[in-house]
């Protein structure tokens, strides 16, 4: 069953191998093959006009002068622009269509935010300029910090963490610092099964032992199991809410109360905050620390894997332990930047001497370029718009869940509405077809696949997150495409094993990449398709 | 609300499909006492593009942009000219709005770029393998220390830090080491014309997992990396070299060439811009490919597709948090993909010839500035060697001088008092940085102003 559309065009059903790819250039119509920079550039070619150094130029390099060749090819500007523009065309992106990666939250990237971040007053200022010359930048940090605290119902916020996982580390270090301040050396962090992989890695990196807490049949934290495990050795719990099954943890307050009663703290992974922003304040649920992925909830571009930004909101109990630098508006209305040199004096004056920062997590103030974008996003949506963001994100996800639950196995369809993402499993697929085959089939339908094989609690998991920036028409198109591929998978259509056939590349050999890693270009490399000499010898 | 395309009609139809009577039906799992009714206090209603832009512009005007002043700041963040085409390319939606390349068949643009980037960084650093970037130089520095601990299998717990490591980098390492229970061997920075290589070497012993040395160091001097590497290797320790100014490597020998085992640094100089400290670009490389499975972060590798065509994938992910969870080499998940692209494009435009000329121009102007400032009464140039930044002593607290000059519209440099709080013996030091964006007039303006202020 193909998805009909108005033009009568039907996506290809059968996987025909494109045997006739042989053109001189490898290019075909608008599909452009692009060699590596190292194959087209030259050491003496440059796209920047710079003077040749004079023979009698001064030299104070202390005898460390570079003598040999570095091996960095250059291109003139037209060639460089063409190289990267051609490469760009081999990428899927949110600008091209729905990007339903569950738990990753890919939403439209407003271009106003890009314009704002590039204003010279933000883009062209140095992190160590005298504070009187960066008052506006500090105000941005402070204004954003203020709204993050308001929206989460928390007490303070550490702005410097560079991404979500860095924020997790920040939160766990605050917990450890708070416990140590009480002389309480606890060793264990509890992490539910449905948590992001970063959660256990973070706890381990901060020096904790990690113990799993199972999920209930309906996809939530098993409260009774959690209560049984709590004790004087448990420093805290890391919970994702809404969780990675797409569900709201109904017992969140009871979980927090139990953890607090046992002397621990609650870390909430805030990666999915976009589903509840303006609707629920995590502080009201007893959360002590939560990172906010500004790039997800407040929409900053995630350019092929980053940068991110992960400010951490903190409860009253944890606020004094946050990392430096710290930015705060004082009673006089002035925004202060507090670094190591004035931390003690500031604490004495404004925190009754209670501020005991655990230290510094990064060289400078965090992701300023993300702060300007996030603030622009918050002001653009306002109080009414942010609430609408959560509602539309949840509405879109539930629309997908209900439209597809008859087609795909939806393990938690009876567990209540999903929040921002809908979870499906591979039950009922025919032949030996897998979730991966379905995902690759979706590529031929013109969509980026959803998150696959995560969360681990569901076999062959598919986690679909449409976000609030998709129209109903785009959701309907996606639903039709996914239904089409799912029906093929259920019917055991083995041609799905060949998918994708219309992408810039067919399925890539990931096993070879891992067994014989080639991680940098080398001069002697053989042309594509032929084994390079060093591959036989191993690199 | 221009970013939200659903209409009220859409919403009603969709709720009907779901079988919900209203949107609140979809929030039934949120306990009632935790639901927010009514507006978010104090936050205005949604604002037009024009209104938001006006607000943000007003805030931006309260900052003194580097381009609007004679500018001499560095210390881990450098102002360089970035060709216009760099920003143009990173704003192409296919790069800007792509995610982590989890589906390689439709992410070859990002993946090929990362492969090129890894190759550029490895060559610049004189290393075998570089990763696909980290948050910034300071966090990459900590990750290198953690990796050295893994290489030593936790049997060596001492981390020797050079006193001339960027103090913020050192502070990040100290902060994290408190939690991993590594022992930090620290020494205070001192205002010597040459780095104390012997003092550093004397601190290396059999229990040392790694030695961390900045090159060029925080005072702009060039430490003898080869001698330190030899001493570290003699005791079975790894040498971690930290570079905060990659442009320098167009003029000086690479850390890998001098024997560093792990080379990390800040890539912000190429393509990224100052941005008040972030986002920046952490670079990470290992000299010997045998260490690759101990590395943190993402790696892009070459392979072939089902038709035998060359393609690229993220690889060796069994080291990573999404597979190994608490046994992962790092908890890092996000990298700095877009900043890596900016670096990749800028480096491609420069090429080897351009990078060498850029480095030579930086050094020429820095020499000019050092000679001119040396003529200012009361000013002494500390360094015997430097690349594009050097330290001068002013005979009085440099923080006050910097503030006075800022009032005159001159951003004079980074006072060591700000960088090293509590180390009063460094307080009269000023770190001065010169790049190709500094004009000879700027240098004269700074020198003249210093003559007046110090008189």
């Amino acid at each position: 069953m193909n998805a009909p559309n108005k033009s009568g065009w039907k996506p290809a059903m059968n996987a025909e191998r494109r045997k006739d790819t042989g053109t001189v250039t490898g290019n075909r119509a608008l599909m452009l093959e692009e060699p590596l920079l190292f194959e087209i550039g030259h050491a003496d070619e440059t796209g920047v006009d710079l003077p040749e150094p004079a023979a009698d130029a001064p030299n104070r390099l202390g005898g460390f002068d570079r003598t040999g060749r570095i091996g960095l090819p250059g291109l003139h500007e037209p060639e460089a622009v063409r190289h990267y523009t051609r490469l760009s065309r081999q990428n899927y992106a949110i600008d091209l269509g729905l990007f339903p990666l569950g738990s990753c939250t890919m939403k439209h990237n407003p271009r106003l935010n890009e314009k704002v971040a590039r204003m010279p007053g933000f883009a062209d200022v140095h992190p160590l300029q005298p504070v009187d010359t960066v008052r506006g930048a500090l105000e941005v940090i402070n204004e954003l910090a203020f709204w993050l605290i308001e929206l989460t119902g928390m007490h303070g916020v550490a702005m410097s963490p560079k991404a979500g996982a860095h924020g997790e580390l920040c939160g766990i270090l605050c917990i450890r610092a708070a416990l140590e301040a009480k002389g309480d050396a606890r060793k264990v962090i509890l992490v539910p099964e449905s948590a992001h992989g970063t959660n256990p890695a973070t706890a381990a990196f901060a020096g904790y032992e990690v113990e799993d807490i199972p999920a209930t049949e309906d996809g939530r934290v098993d409260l009774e199991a959690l209560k049984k495990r709590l004790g004087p050795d448990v420093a805290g719990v890391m919970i994702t809410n809404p969780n990675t099954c797409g569900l709201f943890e109904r017992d969140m307050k009871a979980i927090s109360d139990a953890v607090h009663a046992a002397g621990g703290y609650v870390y909430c992974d805030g990666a999915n905050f976009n589903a509840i922003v303006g609707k629920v304040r995590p502080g009201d649920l007893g959360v002590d620390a939560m990172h906010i992925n500004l790039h997800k909830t407040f929409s900053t571009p995630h350019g092929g894997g980053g940068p991110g930004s992960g400010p951490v909101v903190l409860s009253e109990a944890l606020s004094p332990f946050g990392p430096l630098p710290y930015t705060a508006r004082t009673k006089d209305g002035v925004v202060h930047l507090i670094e190591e040199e004035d931390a003690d004096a500031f604490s004495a004056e404004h925190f009754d001497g209670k501020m005991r920062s655990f230290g510094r997590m990064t060289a400078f103030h965090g992701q300023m370029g993300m702060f300007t974008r996030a603030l622009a996003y918050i002001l653009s949506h306002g109080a009414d718009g942010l609430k609408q963001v959560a509602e539309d994100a949840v509405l879109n996800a539930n629309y997908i869940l209900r439209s597809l639950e008859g087609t795909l196995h939806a393990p938690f369809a009876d567990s209540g509405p999903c929040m921002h993402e809908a979870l499906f499993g591979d039950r009922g697929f025919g032949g030996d077809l897998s979730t991966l085959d379905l995902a690759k089939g979706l590529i031929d339908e013109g969509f980026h696949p959803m998150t696959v094989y995560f969360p681990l609690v569901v076999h062959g998991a598919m986690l679909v997150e449409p976000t609030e920036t998709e129209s109903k028409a785009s959701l309907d198109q996606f639903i039709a495409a996914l239904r089409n591929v799912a029906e093929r998978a259920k019917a055991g259509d083995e041609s799905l094993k060949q998918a994708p056939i219309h992408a810039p590349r067919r399925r890539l050999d990931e096993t070879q990449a891992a067994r014989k890693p080639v991680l940098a270009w080398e001069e002697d490399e053989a042309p594509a398709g032929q084994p390079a000499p060093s591959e036989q010898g191993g690199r | 609300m221009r970013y939200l395309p659903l209409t009220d009609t859409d919403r009603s139809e969709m709720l009907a499909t779901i079988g919900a009577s209203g949107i609140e039906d979809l929030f039934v799992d949120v306990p009632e006492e935790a639901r927010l009714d009514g507006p978010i206090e104090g936050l205005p209603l949604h604002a037009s593009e024009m209104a938001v832009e006006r607000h943000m512009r007003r805030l931006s005007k309260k900052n003194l942009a580097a381009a609007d002043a004679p500018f001499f700041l560095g210390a881990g963040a450098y102002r360089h000219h970035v060709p216009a085409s760099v920003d143009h390319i990173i704003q192409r939606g296919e790069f800007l709005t792509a995610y982590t390349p989890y589906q390689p068949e439709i992410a070859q643009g990002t993946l090929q770029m990362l492969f090129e980037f890894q190759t550029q960084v490895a060559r610049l650093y004189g290393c075998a393998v570089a990763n696909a970037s980290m948050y910034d130089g300071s966090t990459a520095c900590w990750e290198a220390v953690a990796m050295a601990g893994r290489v030593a299998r936790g049997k060596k717990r001492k981390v020797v830090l050079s006193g001339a490591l960027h103090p913020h980098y050192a502070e990040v390492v100290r902060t994290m080491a408190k939690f991993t229970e590594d022992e930090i061997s620290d020494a205070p920075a001192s205002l010597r014309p040459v780095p104390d290589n012997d003092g550093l070497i004397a601190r290396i012993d059999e229990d040392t997992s790694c030695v961390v040395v900045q090159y060029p160091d925080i005072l702009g001097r060039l430490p003898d990396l080869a001698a330190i590497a030899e001493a570290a290797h003699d005791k079975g320790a790894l040498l971690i070299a930290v570079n905060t100014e990659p442009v320098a490597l167009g003029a000086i020998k690479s850390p890998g060439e001098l024997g560093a085992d792990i080379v990390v640094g800040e890539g912000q100089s190429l393509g990224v811009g100052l941005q008040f400290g972030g986002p920046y670009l952490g670079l990470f490389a290992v000299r010997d490919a045998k260490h690759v499975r101990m590395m943190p972060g993402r790696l892009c590798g070459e392979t072939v597709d089902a038709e035998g065509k060359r393609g690229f994938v993220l690889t060796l992910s069994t080291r990573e948090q999404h597979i190994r969870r608490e046994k992962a080499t790092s908890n890092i998940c996000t990298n700095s993909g877009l900043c890596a692209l900016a670096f990749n494009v800028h480096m491609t435009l420069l090429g080897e010839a351009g990078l060498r000329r850029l480095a030579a121009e930086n050094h020429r102007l820095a020499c000019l500035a050092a000679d001119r400032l040396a003529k200012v009464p009361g000013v002494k140039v500390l360094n015997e060697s430097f690349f594009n930044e050097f330290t001068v002593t002013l005979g009085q607290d440099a923080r006050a001088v910097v503030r006075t000059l800022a009032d005159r519209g001159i951003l004079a440099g980074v006072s060591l008092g700000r960088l090293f709080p509590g180390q009063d013996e460094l307080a009269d030091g000023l770190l001065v940085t010169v790049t190709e964006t500094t004009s000879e007039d700027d240098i004269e303006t700074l020198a003249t102003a210093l003559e007046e202020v110090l008189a």
Side-chain angles (χ1 to χ4, degrees), chain B residues 123-393:
Chain B
R123 290 182 173 200
L124 190 67
Y125 277 180
C127 284
V129 181
N131 75 10
S133 82
M134 313 203 74
Y135 306 137
D136 71 351
S138 65
T139 54
C141 179
W142 158 249
E143 294 278 359
V145 170
M147 178 180 150
R150 287 193 295 277
V151 170
R153 294 197 179 80
K155 286 181 187 145
K156 294 170 172 237
R157 303 314 305 234
K158 184 169 152 186
V159 176
V160 174
L161 301 185
S162 153
L165 174 62
H166 193 301
H168 292 174
Y169 285 46
E171 189 57 30
V172 171
V173 172
R174 277 194 292 266
T175 296
M176 297 304 303
K178 272 191 287 194
F179 299 97
T180 54
E181 291 161 16
D182 283 310
E183 179 207 334
I184 301 293
S185 163
D186 237 342
S190 64
L191 288 174
R192 299 159 54 120
V194 289
D196 182 12
N197 300 317
D198 295 340
L200 181 71
I201 286 169
R203 285 192 281 134
I204 306 170
D205 61 21
E206 305 291 342
D207 192 39
T208 304
S209 67
C210 60
V211 183
V212 187
V213 184
Q214 188 174 325
Y215 168 84
D217 72 18
I218 187 63
L219 303 181
R221 306 167 306 184
L222 288 150
D224 187 354
L225 274 195
I228 299 164
E230 199 186 329
H233 295 159
D234 276 352
K235 304 277 187 201
L238 299 185
L239 174 61
I240 298 170
V242 177
N243 170 266
T244 62
E245 170 56 295
V247 173
L249 298 177
I252 59 176
K253 282 192 170 57
S254 71
E257 204 177 338
L258 296 170
D261 301 283
I262 307 177
V263 186
V264 294
E266 178 52 68
Q268 167 273 339
S269 275
L270 292 170
V272 179
L274 290 172
Q275 306 199 86
F276 199 48
Y280 280 3
L281 172 66
L283 309 181
F284 193 114
V286 293
R287 180 166 53 94
D288 189 332
K290 77 175 182 218
H291 285 139
V292 71
R293 282 167 211 270
M294 299 277 190
M295 284 174 85
R298 293 191 177 126
L299 289 166
C300 170
E302 183 184 321
T303 187
V304 291
D305 79 351
E307 289 179 350
K309 285 187 181 170
R310 175 170 67 190
F312 302 92
V313 293
L314 293 182
T315 192
L316 300 181
S317 54
T318 48
R319 305 164 295 114
E320 291 184 77
Q321 35 73 28
H322 58 278
I323 297 192
R324 293 260 287 170
R325 291 170 72 93
E326 67 268 27
K327 294 187 178 66
T329 55
S330 164
N331 79 328
I332 193 169
C333 179
T334 289
N335 67 341
S336 286
L338 200 67
C339 300
L341 173 65
F343 180 102
N344 179 218
V345 180
H346 193 176
M347 187 66 102
T348 298
L349 285 164
L350 285 168
E352 178 145 354
L355 182 69
R356 282 175 178 273
R357 287 181 208 165
L358 178 63
E361 181 67 357
N362 273 250
H363 189 55
R364 180 183 76 84
L365 285 162
C367 290
L368 206 72
D371 290 343
R372 177 64 185 90
L373 293 179
K375 290 187 190 135
V376 175
V379 172
K380 249 180 75 181
V381 175
L382 178 78
N383 299 49
E384 277 181 13
S385 64
F386 61 88
F387 169 63
N388 69 353
E389 62 189 328
F390 54 86
T391 301
V392 295
T393 54

Side-chain angles (χ1 to χ4, degrees), chain A residues 220 242 248 250 273-280 386-396 398 416-420, chain B residues 15 20 22-37:
Chain A
R220 294 185 169 89
F248 192 84
R250 295 183 194 123
F273 187 56
N274 64 316
I276 55 170
V277 61
K279 301 285 288 184
V280 185
L386 285 180
K387 215 177 189 73
Q388 193 72 57
V389 161
E391 291 180 357
D392 284 358
V394 172
L395 178 61
N396 281 356
N398 279 281
C418 66
M419 298 304 285
H420 56 300
Chain B
L15 284 167
I23 190 73
E24 289 309 319
D25 279 8
L26 302 181
F27 287 87
V28 287
D29 285 328
V30 180
E32 219 156 302
E33 65 272 20
R35 283 189 231 171
L36 269 188
D37 295 316

Side-chain angles (χ1 to χ4, degrees), chain A residues 132-194:
Chain A
D132 279 333
T133 66
V134 290
R135 290 283 168 208
L138 295 177
E139 278 187 49
V140 167
I141 294 177
N142 186 266
E143 199 173 326
L144 177 62
F146 179 82
W147 293 123
L148 295 180
I149 289 169
E150 282 290 304
L151 290 167
T152 54
M154 302 291 273
H155 194 266
V157 57
M159 296 297 285
S160 67
K162 301 285 242 176
H166 204 221
E168 289 173 28
L169 201 52
C170 173
I172 294 300
L173 296 184
C174 285
I175 289 174
R176 189 160 165 168
L179 285 168
E180 280 175 3
K182 290 194 259 184
D184 191 355
R186 295 171 175 232
K187 285 277 177 245
V188 176
I189 293 275
L190 305 180
V191 183
E193 273 181 348
S194 61

Side-chain angles (χ1 to χ4, degrees), chain A residues 18-34:
Chain A
R18 289 175 300 173
K19 288 182 177 145
D20 58 342
T21 47
T23 60
V24 173
T25 57
N27 296 337
R28 178 163 292 272
L30 287 171
M31 292 290 296
L32 306 168
E33 288 295 318
E34 185 61 18

